[in-house]
Amino acid sequence: MENEKRVRFPWQDPKSSKEDPKASELIDRLVKSPTYKLAFQDSEFLESSEARGVRLELDYLKAELQIRRLGIEHTIVVFGSARIVEPKTAIARFNEVEEKLEKAPDDRVLLRELYVAERMIGKSIYYEDARRFGRLVGESGKNPDDCRITVMTGGGPGIMEAANRGSYDVGAKTIGLNILLPHEQFPNPYITPELCFQFHYFAVRKMHFLNRAKALVVYPGGFGTFDELFETLTLIQTEKTTPIPIVLVGKSFWERALNFAFLQEEGVIAAEDLEIFKFVDNANEAWEYILNWYKEKGMPLVQ
């Protein structure tokens, strides 16, 4: 009967102090020992070098399950500098440095900052262009809930923010894969909350970038941008992954930053390696190239 008292099992009660005065003290010492913790509740164990394999799997699995749950089929991955800001912000920074320089016209550090700030005003066109590209991808679905093709970025500011923002502008879902860094950082505000992730391992994050990628669009950037670009170029070159269109936006920047023709002349890459990627000048050209790339292969990206 429900009211009938259930018989307790022997292990449900600690050894009585009547049997051994030291029992309570000894048991307390045991249950407080780190070895008595359940493995998934033992943070010291989970953070150990020996448990790295488990952490790698968890780092991958958490995002993977959520992406599946939301029906994300394909992504267009956008990379680019976190330092490139929208025009009004770039102009404000330039004016701020200029005011400081008026008080110390011979300050070499400020002169350098002014030069960089001026260059960033010029590069702010890429922020607006990446935002435009995000809109193009966001509008490619049948409705805002159509997740068959979704913008994915590194989740940070700059170009990443712009691409996420473009999709956000048209009400489409958009993904951000943030990375845990030694210094504090925040995700950009335009990522869909349930698709905003944070990774510990760069390697796992890179796997997610390419898992569902139907194209890679790369805007001007620095070390991080180059890292992701060359990782993908190498995987395609060595046939470790299925070829996808790789588009480098900002032809004038890329031709100065990377001399691929020189690499071919020196024999360290082959002529066909230059066909893995495409230079374009803006978002419209990038989107058109991606659509044509798939159309020519008889499998339209957008139907």
Side-chain angles (χ1 to χ4, degrees), residues 147-278:
C147 296
R148 287 177 299 169
I149 304 175
T150 310
V151 164
M152 174 182 281
T153 78
I159 294 298
M160 295 173 282
E161 172 186 300
N164 288 133
R165 189 173 185 178
S167 285
Y168 170 87
D169 288 340
V170 296
K173 286 184 171 60
T174 180
I175 308 168
L177 307 186
N178 295 271
I179 188 76
L180 184 65
L181 299 172
H183 42 81
E184 186 177 15
Q185 61 152 359
F186 292 94
N188 74 68
Y190 306 108
I191 304 166
T192 301
E194 59 268 30
L195 288 168
C196 183
F197 304 102
Q198 184 170 211
F199 294 86
H200 179 78
Y201 296 103
F202 273 104
V204 174
R205 182 177 181 240
K206 288 178 177 179
M207 285 182 65
H208 276 293
F209 276 136
L210 292 181
N211 261 1
R212 293 171 173 81
K214 301 298 283 186
L216 173 62
V217 178
V218 190
Y219 281 83
F223 287 166
T225 303
F226 281 37
D227 174 48
E228 303 292 359
L229 169 61
F230 278 98
E231 176 94 14
T232 308
L233 290 175
T234 302
L235 288 171
I236 293 176
Q237 181 199 50
T238 57
E239 300 181 0
K240 290 290 287 183
T241 190
T242 303
I244 59 173
I246 298 177
V247 190
L248 278 61
V249 183
K251 186 174 181 180
S252 60
F253 172 88
W254 289 110
E255 288 184 337
R256 288 190 64 190
L258 298 169
N259 192 340
F260 286 107
F262 171 75
L263 296 179
Q264 182 194 350
E265 290 171 7
E266 291 295 303
V268 293
I269 64 172
E272 55 265 30
D273 293 334
L274 300 179
E275 299 175 6
I276 298 175
F277 57 90
K278 171 76 172 178

Side-chain angles (χ1 to χ4, degrees), residues 47 81 162:
E47 293 172 10
S81 176

Side-chain angles (χ1 to χ4, degrees), residues 4 7 17 40 63-64 90 100 102 118 171 176 201 209 234-235 265 268 280 293:
E4 187 176 313
V7 176
S17 297
F40 65 86
E64 176 64 19
K100 292 179 180 179
E102 288 177 359
E118 185 177 19
Y201 296 103
F209 276 136
T234 302
L235 288 171
E265 290 171 7
V268 293
V280 301
W293 193 93

Side-chain angles (χ1 to χ4, degrees), residues 10 13-24 26-27:
D13 295 301
K15 185 175 180 63
S16 171
S17 297
K18 294 180 180 179
E19 298 177 54
D20 184 347
K22 294 183 179 180
S24 178
L26 292 173
I27 290 173

Side-chain angles (χ1 to χ4, degrees), residues 22 52 59 65 100 113 144 171 182 189 206 247 252 287 299:
K22 294 183 179 180
R52 184 173 288 113
D59 215 29
L65 293 178
K100 292 179 180 179
E113 287 183 14
K206 288 178 177 179
V247 190
S252 60
W287 186 233
M299 45 182 185

